[in-house]
Amino acid sequence: MIEISHVNKWYGPSFQVLKDCTTRVAKGEVVVVCGPSGSGKSTLIKCVNALEPFQEGQIILDGIKVNDPKTDLPKLRARVGMVFQHFELFPHLRIIENLCLAQEKVLGRSHDEAMAKGQKLLERVGLTVHANKYPAELSGGQQQRVAIARALAMDPIAMLFDEPTSALDPEMISEVLDVMVDLAHEGMTMMVVTHEMGFASKVAHRVIFMDKGEIVEDALKTDFFGSPRSERAQKFLSKILSH
Amino acid sequence: MNYNWNWHIFFEPNPTGAGTYLDMLMSGLLLTIQTALLAWVIALFFGTIVGILRSLPSRTASWIGFGYVEFFRNMPLLVQLFLWFFVLPELLPRGAGLWLKQIPNAPFWTAAIGVGLFMSARVAVQLAAGIASLPRGQKNAATALGLTTAQGYRYVLLPIAFRIILPPLTSEFLNTIKNTSVAITIGLIELTGQARAMQEFSFQVFEAFTAATVMYLAINIVVVTGMRFLERSLAIPGYITGK
């Protein structure tokens, strides 16, 4: 589904953020990407739907080369859902309008069709009563669930999560993770940048550990948590799991 | 001071034979409003285009935006009006220059377009600042949903940015109205022009300019009230200015 091969990316002439990153996410697979801040994990996930350009290597998404100038990027992006750390709901639109905008303008669905789909997804994330509110009137956890629903409204073939719970209060994290766990159980292809090791051990198939722009470890979940091969991953795990 | 106050002067017939001095001022007021409205439409139209250009990642676009803004905002408005009214027709090929000089109401069109372009540079700078003030993630979210750059601006960035810059835009609208008085120098007999004419015919200089002042004040109060109403009706619940 997602094939990343030998991706190199520089900011400016000398600062390399991604070093020869190669990995793949199969259909229906849940892959968690973790690592210390500044390790390039968010940058990597943003390269997958070309929100960030990269200079070398290639990424193939459902058979389509992302970094090909001939690729219709808006069309390709519409097929991959993305959830951001800071939700990024559109503040001037009501919740239901947030869910309808891209359905109508990008997929060309009728307003009624988009509304029906939006209502169904709001119900799914348990926010039907808030349909006519504005994003700023909702809590962080609720906003992030809306953001997930907004991405799902496009019927994506895969979902990208960029630290979806990092900006949330602890008590709101679980309501967002619950939605993500459900998605994973339904067989959604997911690439998730997160520090939530509980989530990783519960639903991930594979865990990728990044450090200084490199993929240091790319292992099955059990191997990763059981016996990480690299010293850096061991250190990272012992630090975040020590509390 | 030996000055003969005569507030009754407004109801005395003016030397043109058509109506009173008050009628003279009112026709000037009408012309001021017409000029200002057309100028404001021009300022908003070109200001929006150039503001968007300045916010695009493309080097070429931002250079064009930069050139436009610096050209129109770094020359005194008076000089610009002289340039369009007296110099431009001479620079053009004979036929075109002659045609330009013979346009009916040339001072009106020159003033509206001249003031409009002058103000558009200011609108552009504010809009670019408004767009720049939005979190980067908003653009990313729009892009990730598959919206094209144009759609992202149309449905997400511009509606939020314009709400943010509405208060300074009010000031720019007021400046547009006041700047139309410069057009007296190219022979547009708007409110200031009529006040001066009244003073020359009647020698009641203080009455004439007091009335003009009150009229300017009145239009601007209407504009301020209208814009405040607009701000309130567009406020986003829970977001920045909204409540």
Side-chain angles (χ1 to χ4, degrees), chain A residues 46 49 51-52 74-75 77-78 80 82 84 88-93 101-102 105-106 134 136-137 150-151 154, chain B residues 135-149 151 155-157 159-160 163 235-239:
Chain A
K46 282 185 183 135
N49 63 351
L51 282 186
E52 290 272 1
K75 202 174 156 192
R77 289 184 183 117
V80 188
M82 184 155 201
F84 299 87
E88 307 301 350
L89 296 178
F90 305 133
H92 61 300
L93 299 178
L101 180 68
K105 306 301 175 193
V106 178
Y134 286 89
E137 297 175 295
R150 179 175 70 176
M154 305 295 283
Chain B
R136 233 184 101 75
Q138 286 286 307
K139 193 176 183 179
N140 276 345
T143 308
L145 280 168
L147 295 170
T148 59
T149 304
Q151 286 176 322
Y155 299 112
V156 179
L157 301 181
I160 313 173
R163 280 176 170 89
I236 305 164
Y239 186 76

Side-chain angles (χ1 to χ4, degrees), chain B residues 134-198:
Chain B
L134 302 177
R136 233 184 101 75
Q138 286 286 307
K139 193 176 183 179
N140 276 345
T143 308
L145 280 168
L147 295 170
T148 59
T149 304
Q151 286 176 322
Y153 273 90
R154 163 73 183 78
Y155 299 112
V156 179
L157 301 181
L158 290 181
I160 313 173
F162 267 114
R163 280 176 170 89
I164 293 172
I165 64 165
L166 216 47
L169 272 190
T170 305
S171 302
E172 296 306 342
F173 194 2
L174 300 180
N175 282 338
T176 306
I177 296 167
K178 291 179 285 183
N179 280 342
T180 57
S181 63
V182 176
I184 191 179
T185 56
I186 55 169
L188 186 72
I189 311 300
E190 37 64 77
L191 184 50
T192 306
Q194 292 288 18
R196 219 173 74 131
M198 174 176 168

Side-chain angles (χ1 to χ4, degrees), chain A residues 64-77:
Chain A
I64 298 163
K65 194 174 165 192
V66 173
N67 53 324
D68 184 338
K70 280 178 292 214
T71 300
D72 182 352
L73 281 177
K75 202 174 156 192
L76 184 64
R77 289 184 183 117

